[in-house]
Amino acid sequence: MKSQGWNVRIFKREQRSLFGEILDWMLTPLLLLWPISLALTWLVAQGLANKPFDRALIYNVQALAQQIRPGPGNRVEFSLPQPASELLRADETDLVYYQVRGGRGEHLSGDRDLPAPPADAAQGSSYEVHIRDDEMRGLEVRVAYTWIRLDAESQQPALVQVAETREKRSVLAAEIIKGVMLPQFALLPLAVLLVWLALVRGIKPLSELEERIRARKPDDLSPLDDKAVPMEVAPLVVSVNDLLERLKDSIVTQKRFLADAAHQLKTPLAGLRMQADLAQRSGSSEEDLKKSLQQIGRASVQATHTVNQLLSLARAEGGGTNLPLQSCDMVSLASEVLQDCLPRAMDKGLDLGYEGVEPGTPGAQVQGNPTLLKEMVRNLVENAIHYTPSTPERQGVITVRVLVDPYSKALVMQVEDNGPGIPLPERELVFQPFYRALGTNVDGSGLGLPIVREIAQQHGASVSVDAAHLGQASPGACFTLRFGQT
């Protein structure tokens, strides 16, 4: 176990640094492009170094070509004065070679072993100078050559070549490289420093935002100023403000809920204590003791029901995202709830029944949590049982329906009763926690319908209430759940 702990610490991924990532993405291309810049600079330097020395080679070839004269028998003659020959080879750095060949390939002057132009090289017009790279006695040389036709009868032109080693060119190219790259060596650290300072300056607003958030009091949920941050950070600040607003609403709701819950539990608990005190009085008769015990029982039942409803509401508010979803047959769930509630309905003399499609009917299934959905249906049915009176003259009737709309294929569930109904102004208020309709003379926690709405919203359903029998003395209530819409 100890070694596993060490492995976790060793391979634990370090937290990413936004500053470091930006710096990496800015400096990495710079460091990768720098060698490419060196190579390109070297190529450019080679071209620049070749140009002046190539011109000198061309001039020498043209000067030698002027010394070729026509001779007897279609032959050519070449004569180079000694001073000119010495001047041609007077180079302190590089070795200079030259060669003159006649029309038949015979050697006229210069170095015999100077390589000839490639066989596929175009001869071009007379006196047109060409440049090539070649090798002479193991040394790389730059060669300028031209073909010369003295008259139209000449079948083969004469060849004049001048070659020079590349030492001066390499020295000049190296000087160009130094002149270009040495400043870059000095500028590269400066560029890195400037990038570093720019990043420090660029992320400073984030540090200031962090300081403002840290300086806040724990109970300060006011929105952050999204105008004092950069444009790129503004969406993050807006999202944080939205989160703060929702958190503020949640805290307000929780505080109100706790206050209401404490108020609701205070009454039955106070009744329990009072009845217990009455039962403990000296001189109480057996009849008084029984009445106190009955009151204690009713108060405990009321307190238990309120606590259960509070737990159900808490589970409904937090269970939609935590509990797994599955395909639920609403007809089967409704049947289970009706079987559970039937004894209580019979005790009150109520007619509790079901109308609608059969179990397994296509379209009667929803994706949801069966526990929450069953709790939702149970609250609707128990609410109807609780508020629907039943007398020998007029029996209370409660009907649960599960229907599938033939046009929209939407699933609809209804719980209908023939009780006193809910006045129109109060039909939206009854879905608020701890609200109870006036004039019913029935005790309740006021939490059943809020639980129904919360579970319905989590399952993408809407809930509404209407009069079941318009125009009658007891219009009743019809609660409708329509799945597939929010």
Side-chain angles (χ1 to χ4, degrees), residues 223 236-249:
L236 175 61
V237 175
V238 172
S239 300
V240 172
N241 288 339
D242 180 64
L243 176 62
L244 290 175
E245 187 66 26
R246 285 185 278 126
L247 180 60
K248 184 178 179 181
D249 294 340

Side-chain angles (χ1 to χ4, degrees), residues 250-286:
S250 176
I251 292 176
V252 171
T253 302
Q254 289 180 5
K255 288 182 178 179
R256 184 175 65 248
F257 179 82
L258 291 174
D260 293 341
H263 177 73
Q264 293 296 321
L265 290 175
K266 185 186 300 182
T267 301
L269 293 178
L272 282 172
R273 181 176 180 179
M274 181 184 69
Q275 294 300 328
D277 291 341
L278 290 175
Q280 293 176 1
R281 287 185 309 175
S282 60
S284 298
S285 64
E286 183 178 351

Side-chain angles (χ1 to χ4, degrees), residues 110-167:
D111 302 278
R112 292 179 177 274
D113 55 346
L114 184 62
D120 57 348
Q123 296 183 0
S125 59
S126 186
Y127 294 99
E128 181 181 354
V129 181
H130 304 275
I131 301 289
R132 76 176 190 275
D133 292 320
D134 214 323
E135 187 173 327
M136 174 69 174
R137 299 172 187 171
L139 300 174
E140 293 184 356
V141 292
R142 187 77 166 168
V143 183
Y145 63 97
T146 184
W147 305 92
I148 302 172
R149 289 183 175 86
L150 298 178
D151 52 54
E153 297 179 358
S154 299
Q155 297 298 322
Q156 294 293 334
L159 173 64
V160 178
Q161 296 188 108
V162 178
E164 182 182 53
T165 54
R166 305 180 63 93
E167 186 65 26

